[in-house]
Each structure stands twice: as C-alpha cells, then as structure tokens.
Amino acid sequence: MIASSLLYGLLAAASTANAYSHVKSINYSVVTGIFQQDDNATDPSTFNFTASNFGLIDRSYPSDSSCPDRKHTTQWQRLAHYISTLNKKAKNNERYSLFFMGRHGEGYHNAAETYFGTPAWNCYWSELDGNKTVTWADAHLTDVGVQQAERVNTFWKHLIKDEKITTPETYYTSPLYRCLDTAKLTFSGLQLPHKSPFKPVIKEYLREGISAHTCDRRSTKSYIKKKFPDFKFEKKFAEKDPYWVKLQAEPRADQDARSKAVLDDIFSNDDSTYISITSHSGEIGSLLRVLGHRAFSLSTGSAIPVLVKATTLYADAPATTTMPYTPQKTCAAPPAIRDSSCNDCSCCT
Ligand SMILES: *[C@@H]1O[C@H](CO)[C@@H](O)[C@H](O)[C@H]1NC(C)=O
Ligand SMILES: *[C@@H]1O[C@H](CO)[C@@H](O)[C@H](O)[C@H]1NC(C)=O
Ligand SMILES: *[C@@H]1O[C@H](CO)[C@@H](O)[C@H](O)[C@H]1NC(C)=O
Ligand SMILES: *[C@@H]1O[C@H](CO)[C@@H](O)[C@H](O)[C@H]1NC(C)=O
C-alpha cells in the first residue's frame, strides 16, 4: 500500500509538472492535389510510380509566375519553387516538407509467405528463424528484391538528370536488414549535391510493426555496423533489440504512437525540407495514418512521395497510453489451408 501511494504521488507530481510545461506538440496534414497517390481515384494496387513520374500531377502552382524561366522548368522544379514559397510565407510554427517513403524490396520472408501460403506462414513458419535452406529472421533481400531496389536507383538517376528533382537532404532508415540494403542500393552512385550526400541515419522507430514473426526482430548494433559501416545510428541505439518479444505483438495504437514520436523527433531535430525514409509496408501505413494521408499500400520496392504540412502547437500534449503487447496464437504444425481465412490460427492441423 505504501509503495503504491508513493508511486501515485510520483505520477501525480509528474503530471502537475507537465501541466505547467506546455509540451510542444506537432500536428500533421497532407497538402493534397500534388500527387496522384492522395487522390481516392488512384488505385494503389495498379499504380506504377516509376511509369508516372512518382505520381507528380501535371499542373500549375500559384507560384509559377515567379518561377524563373518557366518554359524550361520541369514540373519538379516548379514544385520545388512552390514548396519554397510555401515555406517563406508560412507562419513561424508552420513548415512544409516533402517525404519520399520507400518500402524495401522483396525479402526472404516475403518469398516464404508466398511459398507456404499466409495461414501456414503466420501460424507456423514465420515464428521460426528459417528452414533448412533459407533464413528469414531479419530477412535479407532476395535476388528479386535487389533488382527492385536497383530499378528504383535507375529511376532516381532519371529523376535527377531529366526531371531535375530536388533530392533528399537527409535519409532515414529502419534498422532491419532489408531496409538498410534497399536504402544503400537505391541511393548509392547517384549524382547528389555535395551539401546533401547519402548519409543515412538508422532509427529504431521506423522498424516494422512488431509481431511474432522473426523477420521483425532486428540484428545487433555491432552486426549492422559491420555490414553497413557508412550508416549512422541515432542516439541511444541499443546493442540488442529491446522491443521484439517472442510470440508477442505490438498493438496498432502503440505503433501509431511511435510513428508520431519518430516524426516529431525528425521535425524537431532536422530542418530539411526533402526527407527520405526507407521502411516497411506496415510502418509506412502507420506513418501515413499519422500524417493524415489516405491508406496507400505499397508493393515491395515501391515508394510514395507526400507533401506534409507540420504545425507546432504549444499545448498540453494529448496523453498517449501505451498498451501492453498481445500474445500471439500459433500452430504446432503448419495448417494445410492456403487462403487467408485463418488469420487467428484457428485452422491448426
Ligand atoms: C490538426 O490538423 C488537422 C488537419 O489535418 C485539423 O483538422 C485539426 O484541427 C488540427 N488539430 C489542432 C489541435 O490544431
Ligand atoms: C476519400 O475516401 C475517404 C474514404 O472513403 C473519404 O472519407 C474521403 O472523404 C474521400 N476524399 C475525397 C477527397 O473524396
Ligand atoms: C512500371 O513501369 C515501368 C516503366 O516506367 C516498367 O518498366 C515496369 O515494368 C512497370 N512495373 C510494373 C510492375 O508494371
Ligand atoms: C524453405 O523455404 C523456401 C521458401 O522461401 C523454399 O523455397 C525452400 O524449398 C524451403 N526449403 C525446404 C528444405 O523445404
């Protein structure tokens, strides 16, 4: 009893302190009408970002008349000018940034899910590190995944040379191997400005939603450092994965809360207008929810640009309660069923 009232006292003291501190909170919204992907009429399952100039809509902007030499200026150059005018006119607490969010290329875990079928993958195989021939714990890219990343690299070369796109000023990536490798293959060997080279920073909170799957468990910091010596780690990056727990899953609300936290962290510490993120299907989905973008699911090796308006508010930050992880059911042997009617592993054989 004494212990718990002491604890209550500490919590009460902490929340009083918060009430006085007017915590900074950042509100995000998407500037729509710039990219096809934010339009409900665009079907994510058939959309091809490399065939459509990254989805950039052919249009005029209110700032075009002040754009130097309009006739010889590409859509991307006029967009850059527009974003620059938006930032010049923005209030002190407002800012516009263009995010390029890329999903990793196909990993061994993706190929294994296709091979075994989703029920057998989710309820049995994904909890193992691999089988006799393939490892999918912290999965590496398959040959297909490497090719996908190389194709995006070729696409960036085209965007830089022909479209005069403004390349990212900073690069962030998930700590999972498939993203580290995708970022490296995508952005290596490009003609980048000297002031914004490819110097990626690894951020823990850009990792995939945590599930019982071993492909969501990251490698140690020393291993990553050995494999990707040019990548930097964010501060306080732990040697061993502190978050993955055997047979437990991170609730979606927790994932969205850390997606918001990582965006707040980026916006609070990085002045860049052009930002690249290499991450996962589930995590990019979560980032899009936090930014207020419509759902837009990405196939392996695809990317999406999002023009974001960030507004900093000085108010009491809304309380975020963290939910405990939820235990995951599995099967002792792979279920024979192949269709996805067995998400809860009720079809164990
Ligand atoms: C945050 O932005 C959204 C628009 O995306 C707006 O509807 C909402 O009112 C804003 N919230 C605050 C607290 O200003
Ligand atoms: C897009 O679709 C969503 C969900 O169906 C809807 O809420 C939203 O209003 C739509 N937006 C536009 C611009 O039509
Ligand atoms: C997307 O378009 C490119 C041409 O820009 C083409 O080479 C590629 O095969 C297309 N991808 C798909 C999945 O259709
Ligand atoms: C292991 O799984 C992969 C699917 O990713 C499959 O191609 C391979 O045949 C499996 N190996 C064995 C020994 O079953």
Side-chain angles (χ1 to χ4, degrees):
M1 283 312 282
I2 291 170
S4 78
S5 69
L6 264 178
L7 181 62
Y8 175 78
L10 283 174
L11 287 173
S15 60
T16 310
N18 265 341
Y20 286 104
S21 65
H22 286 290
V23 183
K24 203 165 93 166
S25 113
I26 307 179
N27 194 21
Y28 300 99
S29 60
V30 173
V31 181
T32 55
I34 305 292
F35 297 104
Q36 292 177 56
Q37 289 91 329
D38 63 51
D39 182 345
N40 281 351
T42 305
D43 178 359
S45 69
T46 53
F47 187 72
N48 183 338
F49 75 107
T50 59
S52 57
N53 200 15
F54 233 141
L56 183 63
I57 295 169
D58 231 334
R59 52 163 281 189
S60 61
Y61 307 111
S63 59
D64 281 352
S65 58
S66 64
C67 203
D69 194 13
R70 178 157 174 208
K71 264 194 219 140
H72 300 102
T73 307
T74 68
Q75 188 75 42
W76 281 101
Q77 285 173 304
R78 285 189 292 110
L79 175 65
H81 178 65
Y82 181 47
I83 295 173
S84 136
T85 60
L86 287 175
N87 274 319
K88 272 188 201 128
K89 281 195 235 149
K91 298 193 190 109
N92 278 340
N93 66 333
E94 292 171 353
R95 198 176 129 192
Y96 295 84
S97 280
L98 182 55
F99 277 89
F100 299 103
M101 297 196 265
R103 182 182 177 194
H104 60 80
E106 183 194 76
Y108 281 102
H109 64 310
N110 302 122
E113 177 169 355
T114 307
Y115 177 79
F116 294 113
T118 299
W121 169 249
N122 280 343
C123 303
Y124 182 80
W125 293 104
S126 65
E127 285 80 38
L128 309 178
D129 282 1
N131 63 7
K132 289 217 172 74
T133 42
V134 176
T135 300
W136 50 71
D138 193 12
H140 291 205
L141 296 177
T142 63
D143 291 343
V144 170
V146 168
Q147 276 171 27
Q148 288 171 328
E150 285 170 350
R151 260 186 249 137
V152 184
N153 176 266
T154 305
F155 180 52
W156 272 104
K157 282 181 178 150
H158 154 73
L159 289 171
I160 293 168
K161 183 170 172 279
D162 307 315
E163 303 293 339
K164 317 273 187 251
I165 195 173
T166 307
T167 55
E169 294 159 273
T170 36
Y171 297 83
Y172 297 100
T173 162
S174 152
L176 290 154
Y177 195 99
R178 54 194 180 275
C179 288
L180 300 165
D181 210 18
T182 298
K184 184 176 149 184
L185 293 165
T186 302
F187 297 109
S188 295
L190 299 179
Q191 294 270 329
L192 298 174
H194 289 297
K195 62 173 172 33
S196 38
F198 174 55
K199 281 256 166 70
V201 177
I202 303 168
K203 292 191 96 57
E204 187 86 88
Y205 281 7
L206 290 176
R207 63 190 294 159
E208 182 56 303
I210 292 164
S211 75
H213 301 188
T214 60
C215 57
D216 298 330
R217 187 183 69 214
R218 74 160 165 86
S219 298
T220 60
K221 184 179 183 182
S222 351
Y223 175 83
I224 298 172
K225 201 170 183 168
K226 200 170 89 195
K227 294 289 183 180
F228 299 93
D230 298 333
F231 285 44
K232 289 197 290 189
F233 293 90
E234 67 182 341
K235 284 192 192 117
K236 298 186 183 161
F237 191 86
E239 171 62 15
K240 278 190 168 171
D241 188 343
Y243 295 105
W244 190 85
V245 182
K246 198 176 163 70
L247 298 183
Q248 300 276 325
E250 173 188 37
R252 178 167 151 150
D254 288 16
Q255 188 180 1
D256 286 359
R258 55 114 160 153
S259 297
K260 167 100 170 65
V262 74
L263 287 168
D264 289 358
D265 174 29
I266 290 171
F267 272 96
S268 305
N269 295 294
D270 181 348
D271 287 338
S272 302
T273 299
Y274 297 85
I275 298 172
S276 162
I277 286 180
T278 306
S279 185
H280 307 261
S281 119
E283 179 53 19
I284 293 175
S286 173
L287 292 165
L288 291 177
R289 281 195 293 277
V290 171
L291 294 172
H293 194 285
R294 74 178 185 121
F296 195 94
S297 84
L298 297 174
S299 56
T300 49
S302 296
I304 180 172
V306 182
L307 181 57
V308 175
K309 177 182 180 183
T311 310
T312 302
L313 307 161
Y314 292 87
D316 296 332
T320 48
T321 40
T322 312
M323 305 294 289
Y325 282 15
T326 49
Q328 299 300 291
K329 275 204 201 131
T330 58
C331 296
I337 239 173
R338 273 198 75 88
D339 69 47
S340 52
S341 61
C342 173
N343 286 330
D344 58 356
C345 304
S346 54
C347 50
C348 297
T349 39

